[in-house]
Amino acid sequence: MTLTEDGSLLLEHAHAILSCVAIAEDQLLNRVSDLSGPPVSVGLIPSLTEAFAVPMLERLRQKFPNFRLRLLDGLSDQIESWLLNGELQIGFSTLPKHSSRLVVEHLCDEHLCLVAAPGVVQSAGSTISLSEVIGIPLILNPQPNSVRILLETAAADQGHDLEPWLEFTSFPAIKEAVRRRFGCSVLSWSAIAEDVAEGRLAAYQIVDPPLRRPLQLLSARDHALSHSSRIMKDEILILAHEFVREGRFR
């Protein structure tokens, strides 16, 4: 088959268009995978640092070898303040209410658990009532802390004062003290899932009433996310939802 003069002209333009499309696709792919530039600042609450930071770094390094990241530990109210003043681009929070200046992505409602060394708590199953928890020597984070607020509020609703015998700001120290049988603690599932899976700790979900706290990923409306920050946020959301499906966040 022989092309007419018009057909040959159209074919020539078609090849030129396809070539431009291919170049544009390559440029877009390179842009997506290129996270060079200023580091993206991400805020992690202490209970997530051990469980989430390393898997997040592994995922990002595999997909974006040249990424730069700045991780800050802080309580939820600190992280929200850092987001609003532009010190962070992305951050986790467990607070039930937020400034209207924040974009909130709800991940899950985390169950709170009584945490003990294996064999310390004599329970017929995997749950425990709040009234039983109140009678146990507890090691807790000092105020302000979202778990502590939930626990004290629920105890007060039942007419009890909650007075831990030991307070620690360090999650690893709390877990080690519990493992060495100095007492028990109340922590979110994400903070102890790996320890329970490996037999270092035992966990009992608190019921009657059930205690849950929201886990969310935040960014600020007032500060536009950079190209790198948007990609980083999407990847963190994907990994966080994987944790939810796998039961590591629950």
Side-chain angles (χ1 to χ4, degrees), residues 148-160:
R148 183 77 176 266
I149 292 169
L150 276 172
L151 196 56
E152 289 187 353
T153 301
D157 288 343
Q158 294 192 359
H160 299 285

Side-chain angles (χ1 to χ4, degrees), residues 63-79:
K63 298 190 72 171
F64 312 104
N66 62 345
F67 82 96
R68 297 178 64 203
L69 190 62
R70 179 172 170 257
L71 294 178
L72 279 75
D73 265 353
L75 300 178
S76 293
D77 56 348
Q78 291 176 306
I79 287 174

Side-chain angles (χ1 to χ4, degrees), residues 27-187:
Q27 289 176 342
L28 284 172
L29 287 172
N30 288 335
R31 177 170 165 77
V32 167
S33 61
D34 182 13
L35 296 191
S36 59
V40 177
S41 296
V42 178
L44 288 173
I45 53 177
S47 59
L48 286 187
T49 303
E50 281 187 282
F52 195 74
V54 171
M56 179 178 67
L57 292 173
E58 289 174 340
R59 181 186 187 89
L60 292 172
R61 173 161 286 182
Q62 183 179 22
K63 298 190 72 171
F64 312 104
N66 62 345
F67 82 96
R68 297 178 64 203
L69 190 62
R70 179 172 170 257
L71 294 178
L72 279 75
D73 265 353
L75 300 178
S76 293
D77 56 348
Q78 291 176 306
I79 287 174
E80 295 199 8
S81 176
W82 292 337
L83 285 165
L84 292 172
N85 68 26
E87 191 170 344
L88 291 178
Q89 284 80 56
I90 310 162
F92 285 88
S93 174
T94 56
L95 296 180
K97 295 180 180 179
H98 308 278
S99 165
S100 60
R101 295 167 56 199
L102 293 169
V103 178
V104 181
E105 306 264 4
H106 183 81
L107 300 175
C108 70
D109 289 316
E110 287 197 295
H111 293 283
L112 301 189
C113 302
L114 179 75
V115 183
V120 166
V121 174
Q122 303 303 313
S123 176
S126 59
T127 63
I128 191 168
S129 69
L130 179 61
S131 59
E132 292 175 280
V133 171
I134 291 169
I136 295 173
L138 292 175
I139 305 168
L140 298 175
N141 283 114
Q143 289 279 27
N145 174 269
S146 60
V147 169
R148 183 77 176 266
I149 292 169
L150 276 172
L151 196 56
E152 289 187 353
T153 301
D157 288 343
Q158 294 192 359
H160 299 285
D161 290 327
L162 189 71
E163 295 184 358
W165 85 270
L166 180 60
E167 294 181 326
F168 265 130
T169 57
S170 164
F171 274 91
I174 288 175
K175 292 195 290 186
E176 183 62 16
V178 169
R179 192 181 69 81
R180 292 176 179 268
R181 300 176 180 245
F182 286 107
C184 299
S185 188
V186 174
L187 299 171

Side-chain angles (χ1 to χ4, degrees), residues 229-240:
S229 298
R230 289 196 303 272
I231 290 177
M232 198 79 73
K233 181 179 180 181
D234 289 344
E235 292 298 325
I236 290 172
L237 279 171
I238 291 169
L239 182 60

